[in-house]
Amino acid sequence: MSVDLTTRYLGLDLVHPIVPSASPMTGNLASLQELEEAGASAVVLWSLFEEQIEHDEQQALALAELHAESFGEAVGGYFPTLEDYNTGPGEYLKLIRNAKEHLNIPVIASLNGTSIGGWLRYGRLMEEAGADALELNIYMIPTDPRTTGADVEQQYLNLVTTLKGSISIPLAVKVGPFFSSIPNMATRLVEAGADGLVLFNRFYQPDIDLDELAVQPNLRLSTSDELRLPLRWTAILKGQVLGSLAVTSGVHTAEDVIKLLLAGADVTMMASALLKHGPERLTEALDGLRLWLEANEYESVRQMKGSMSQASSPDPEAFERGNYMKTLVTFARPMR
Amino acid sequence: MGRVVTVDGNEAAASVAFRTNEVIAIYPITPSSPMGELSDEWSAKGRTNIFGTIPEVVEMQSEAGAAGALHGALQGGAMATSFTASQGLLLKIPNMYKIAGELIPSVIHVAARSLATHALSIFGDHSDVMATRATGWAMVASASVQEAHDMALISQSATLQSRIPFLHFFDGFRTSHEVAKIEELSDDDVRAMIDDELVAAHRLRRLNPDAPVIRGTAQNPDVFFQAREACNPYYFAVADIVQSTMDRFADLTGRQYRLFDYVGAPDADRVVILMGSGIGAAEEAVEALVARGEKVGILKVRLYRPFSAEALIAALPASTRSIAVLDRTKEPGALGEPLYQDIITAISEQTAAGNVAWDGFPRIIGGRYGLSSKEFTPSMVAAVFVELDKDDPKVHFTVGIVDDVTHLSLDVTDDLNTEPDDVVRAVFFGLGADGTVGANKNSVKIIGENTALFAQGHFVYDSKKSGAITVSHLRFGPRPIKSTYEITRANFVACHQFNFLEKMAVLEVAQEGATFLLNSPFGADEVWDKLPLETQQTIIDKNISFYVVDGVKVARDVGLGGRINTILQTCFFNLAGILPPEQAISEIKEAIQKTYGKFGQTVLDRNFAAVDASIAALEKVEVPQAATSAFLRPAPVPDTAPDFVQRVTAMMIAGKGDLLPVSALPVDGTFPTGTTKFEKRSIAQDIPIWDPDICIDCAKCALVCPHAAIRMKVYDPSFLAGAPETFLSKEYRSREMPGNLLTIQVAPDDCTGCGVCVDICPAKSKEEVKHKSINMLPKSDHLATEQVNFDFFLALPEPDRTEVRLDTVKGSQMAEPLFEFSGACAGCGETPYIKLMTQMFGDRVSIANATGCSSIYGGNLPTTPYTTNADGRGPSWANSLFEDNAEFGLGLRLAQDQSVEDAKVLVSRFAGELGDELVEGLFAGVTDIDEIGLAAQRQRIEHAKKILVDIDSTEAHRLLAGIDTLAHKSIWIVGGDGWAYDIGFGGLDHVFASGRNVNILVLDTEVYSNTGGQASKATPRGAVAKFAAGGKPTGKKDLGMIAQAYGNVYVAQIAVGANNTQTVKAFAEAEAYPGTSLIIAYSQCIAHGIDMETGMSHQKDAVESGYWPLYRFDPTAEAEGKHSFHLDSRAPKIPFMDFAMQEARYAMLARTKPEEAERLFDLAQDDINNRWHLYEQLAEVDRVVADDDEDEEVRA
């Protein structure tokens, strides 16, 4: 009998727990189809950014009005008047519709932003376009010392509440790890309406170009090393926090997938690995997962899921250990 | 009754032209360009004509080309049209003769504009259409926006019936750009007037191999005359056809027109006859005068050609005793202007035929008015009637100006006020591109289309390309608005920029008791003291209700940046009380939805928020009893300015140019140079402030400055004596020029704040990287200091040009710029090249400048940027036309060379007095172009002059007049890509072939920048431009390669922001090459849709992507055993997309048409790769067969 690889994420039944997360590969129909062919059980579409929408709309207007009504020989401005500026979510919604039309797997749309704003209505539009679920990616880099941790946390919660209030499809919230108490934040996010959490956001970190003496944010693809962080927290959160758990960043191999499932993840997400090695990497990881489960005589993913979470692990303290410490040797058990 | 719309004259005419034609061949020219642009827009949207097809709109290389294409389309049986004005109309004339001679029906629509004579003017009068009256085309004049719509259809119908082609015209700007409420003709109305049978007949007459004919034969004296007369019956029939068409139109719409329409007292003895928009003012004057009991009237001319003398007589009252004919054109040398001559001829013939009701011959006088959109008001009309009343009136006169030279002007004394009390008259002063005009056009739309009121908007623009002032004149009233003149009795005045109060008398147009709305950063309780004294006094004297609103703050708070227009518009509606407040708000929001909806929700949300926040921010100001201000409005020019500048230029700067009498202006269009320095516009918010500690003396800032507003001087430390203590300097590190100091100095009142100098500055502080050697800082904090510093800087000595390496970047920037403070856009990419040219050769250059941006910022009054050095030498500049610029420059070279020959002949004749050594020196020195040689030659010339001045002979005088030509003079032919690639290419090509010593500088912005971004053959593949809204499908013409094909033209392709050194070298080499030189200079432009502040550093990407390869083709290289073609840039390093996506002209296509963008951008990358591949090979090519090889070949 073959291993049952099915898993449930955000209330969606997936044939297995390996999903491509939001990246340029999930931004066009052609590569989405390739990913499906490679065996993806669902996809998270490339994100729609709050600041980009607003910026694009303002820019489209600025261009249409550029130096218009200023000089008598160019009263109408310097650009032809266009019918449709294709600002806003139009293109993205088309992507969702196309994806739904051509793919047989669930399509999760992705929305990126930091502040309550009109852009949140796009969540509803995405639902109307056919998205099976929505992933809200919140990345706030507070630089003002007067902004407290509590302020930041409240902002996250307001966003989730507002968005959830406008949609009826499941909502996953992707966050970074920089909270004082991740379990507390995770719980409150679920209370605010998150049906699942995606751990963790990898921020583009800025780099300094020594030739130009300029600051350039650039993308460094992840490696398996980065798995450790979400691995720890998945294990800690599993069982304590209601709602699905998905892990992204650092998932490159079948081993990575297995470790995360053991820790308690419902779904593991790949982006860098696919960008580096192509959709075949997903097939390889899936095959590796299946082989390992068969070789170790597991019946299903459901069976082994979370079997090494902090609650279920034989070494729960290991998940709490922060710094290097000499391993404590127990010589005798204390009297009860 | 038709649907009511608010449109301008151009749109009104184009709407009919588009629906009744299949082919539209155009070339853009102000003020007609919008007709072609709208047609292109509608065509792109898939709108159809009444035949069910989508008209094809094609942009040609010139109006001559458009006329040719028009003729071809007509001969091919299509319904075809064109739109043009002024010079463009002149270029169509040869084809107009042909089309009329072949009796082909067509209508062309003209936004009538002045012809270039002593000057160019973009403004309206009839001189262009009058130049076509001999072509045989019928001519129909519209006097209003409604008529521009109606006559377009009447003309189209009549041309089909008569087979005579029709020229339909309306006044440029006054009608073409006036927004008014009109009744729209529906498609059914249009169909009802166009007879399909006649269209079929036109089709049948086409050039058709199925039924071939031959046209355009060459005829001989035996038959030409008879054949020419054969068309007479067609012409005789036109008047009746037009009248019956007008009658049919009246049945359809209720609007009745006649060939001549009379308005006024039925028993008038004085009649004024005119055509065009002046009719509006004249009609108002007549109504007022008749109400006073005067027996006056006006006759409106509708059909000017063919001229129906019978209809004229029938329309005039039998009581007519005297007639004044007003012409809006000038024909010097003629007995009178055209309409005047036609009226006299008509009345003379009809009187002789006994067809008139009056006894004797009426007195007929002729006057000129309104040239180049000069205001024509009811008061002026009244003055004409006063003149007609005299026993001895002027037979020829002018009205609207003061002619104190030939005394032809009438005195306008009766300030006839025909503005009714129930009309709202609002005047708005705005900053160009701040949205004021757009919002006002919107207001006209809101009121015109949602109420029973009539609405009119007239907009006055500035001559500057950045920091321009716009004035909007809006009228709203219960009756159709005929006031075709600006508002001088406003009951509402709005000033949208606080600092305008210091520049002009904004409240001069306000009437007693008017309302004044000021966009002010100061609240109601502090604004009073911030006003100039004159403004305070006017507010008090005219009992003005004064309101303020901080539009900038409201805009910023709702996230609209600097866009204040929605806010000010809402306040206007609130104060003007034309609509009830709630209705006004809801109409404004609906208009916002309609206008801005397509940009996105963010834009809508923020504008709605602005509307809601506006009223709350509006405050009424308590006006004190007395004016208390501590300061007056500053004078427009300093009192140290030259006499002409103080008397004449200052008036123009202050907006009082209309008051200048004829004697104040030059007789032949010649103006003094160097006047921009007297107009301190002070439009920058931030200016660059220098930190000498970081400076590395590279001179890049000075090199790239578009306005010569940041400069460099290197000088001996002794000159610092007496320097203000704020004046900065540093040691200038140089082996060639040791012991000197360097200063980088900003001209704070002339800087436009573009930031390009800071962007290009490579020097960064080691302690704080964002701090460069120059940094943009608030002008208000530094103005006083830098004014003092700049004055001292100007007094520092200029370097000795014989000791400076002028062909290097630093050396060139040490030289004084003789092109400064032009009205070019902030961050302009063209002007740094011109400035550099004047630094290197300015004191010996004559510039032939094509029409375009460079002729506008180079020569648009009131002030012009080319200036002189301390010796009084500097660039001498002329704009001839658009299409002839290369030829014009060649002509300058021919004259220079001939003058040299003439001078040499004369010098020989005076050899005795001058001495052999001097004569030999003068002859040898003619060809010296280096600084030392030139200085020596000039010295010899001065020496010779001293001798010649004492010789009393006409030949000596003639030699004195021309002897300066013996010192080398450089001819630079300057223009944009519109001229070089398109309309002027024929002439340019001929100049290439001539091999004469001229230098051609093509400022390539890759689009027609001046007229608002139409595509040229320099526009690259995939770029979005007008007439290429879907991305230009074809690649860029390689002008450089075409020139190189001649083999003896020096060609350089440069980009100053990417490679400073190659740029300066190219200029030096071009100047030195004793043949034809061509420099093609990459010029970033606002039409590219880039952040202009980074425009110069952005050029690097253009070069690194291979989009703009740098090279020099030197015809002299082969002789030295080198290859003539030398690549100065490297193989493409970054993909085209990386460069292109930073520019809206490409990014916009990717957004609006992604698939097409992908296709075109792939091709664009291929273009780059293939071109580089070709260039790389060319760089290795030997163009000339080596001597030994040649012998071998001959022997073989």
Side-chain angles (χ1 to χ4, degrees), chain B residues 281 284-288 378-379 415-420 483 485 489:
Chain B
E284 280 190 5
V286 157
E287 275 164 17
S379 306
D415 188 18
L416 189 60
N417 179 10
T418 55
E419 302 264 31
S483 315
Y485 49 92
R489 292 178 175 85

Side-chain angles (χ1 to χ4, degrees), chain A residues 73, chain B residues 25-33 58-71 81-96 99 108-110 113 115 128 851 881-884 978 982-984 1008 1011 1014:
Chain A
E73 298 211 60
Chain B
I26 56 96
Y27 190 75
I29 182 167
T30 308
S32 70
S33 318
V58 62
E59 183 191 21
M60 297 300 292
Q61 85 282 13
S62 72
E63 290 89 346
L70 172 69
H71 188 198
T81 185
S82 186
F83 312 119
T84 193
S86 184
Q87 311 303 124
L89 182 58
L90 293 182
L91 291 179
K92 285 177 151 46
I93 288 178
N95 260 301
M96 287 174 74
I99 293 169
I108 64 175
H109 303 267
V110 177
R113 162 183 152 180
L115 292 177
D128 58 358
T851 309
L881 298 168
F882 197 9
E883 62 273 22
D884 75 340
D982 295 344
I983 194 171
Y1008 291 176
T1011 45
Q1014 296 83 11

Side-chain angles (χ1 to χ4, degrees), chain B residues 746-763:
Chain B
V746 68
D749 287 305
D750 301 291
C751 173
T752 62
C754 70
V756 170
C757 54
V758 172
D759 179 66
I760 206 83
C761 174

Side-chain angles (χ1 to χ4, degrees), chain A residues 54 56-58 63 65-66 68-69 71 73 75 77-79 81-87 121 212, chain B residues 30 45 437 441 461 465 559 563 598-599 601-602 605-606 764 1009-1010 1026 1086-1087 1144 1148 1151-1152:
Chain A
E54 295 188 341
D56 283 352
E57 289 179 356
Q58 302 268 73
L63 280 170
E65 293 192 335
L66 188 66
E69 305 289 1
F71 175 61
E73 298 211 60
V75 164
Y78 293 79
F79 278 96
T81 313
L82 299 175
E83 180 83 10
D84 179 8
Y85 288 85
N86 258 352
T87 51
R121 81 178 81 82
E212 297 289 325
Chain B
T30 308
K45 277 193 201 148
V437 172
K441 286 188 176 176
Y461 304 94
K465 287 179 167 297
R563 286 179 81 254
K598 63 179 165 182
F599 297 105
Q601 196 61 38
T602 318
D605 289 342
R606 294 183 189 190
K764 298 176 177 149
S1009 299
N1010 191 47
K1026 290 177 184 170
I1086 57 178
M1148 199 187 266
R1151 163 171 294 288
T1152 56

